[in-house]
Amino acid sequence: RPASLVVADFGCGDCKIANSVRNKVHSFDLVPLSPLVTVCDMAKVPLAAESVDVAVFCLALMGTNLQEILEEANRVLKQG
């Protein structure tokens, strides 16, 4: 994929994606395992609406507020 695509990594863990690609990656998790992590609830990430091209959930969809998390990803994803 082009390096111009912006990625939101929901439940990023130790930021393997951010450390592996050339893209701008916003890394979110409840525990800061890396200085790249923005600590927050994945249902309320500090991004503008329609500001990312790709949302990643790798082993991260186990919260009790799953619907809110998916709605948040939909909010920050660009149309199309």
Side-chain angles (χ1 to χ4, degrees):
R1 303 284 178 191
S4 61
L5 295 178
V6 177
V7 178
D9 187 0
F10 290 80
C12 65
D14 60 1
C15 299
K16 285 188 180 178
I17 292 174
N19 289 319
S20 303
V21 299
R22 300 171 301 172
N23 305 65
K24 168 65 177 168
V25 179
H26 298 281
S27 302
F28 304 109
D29 211 317
L30 289 173
V31 179
L33 297 179
S34 162
L36 300 175
V37 175
T38 298
V39 177
C40 65
D41 179 346
M42 292 187 299
K44 294 179 174 66
V45 297
L47 291 175
E50 297 187 25
S51 61
V52 301
D53 301 291
V54 178
V56 175
F57 293 91
C58 185
L59 302 172
L61 293 175
M62 54 196 106
T64 57
N65 58 343
L66 181 58
Q67 171 114 11
E68 293 172 1
I69 293 168
L70 293 175
E71 288 172 354
E72 182 69 347
N74 189 57
R75 182 188 72 79
V76 301
L77 280 168
K78 293 177 184 173
Q79 293 296 314

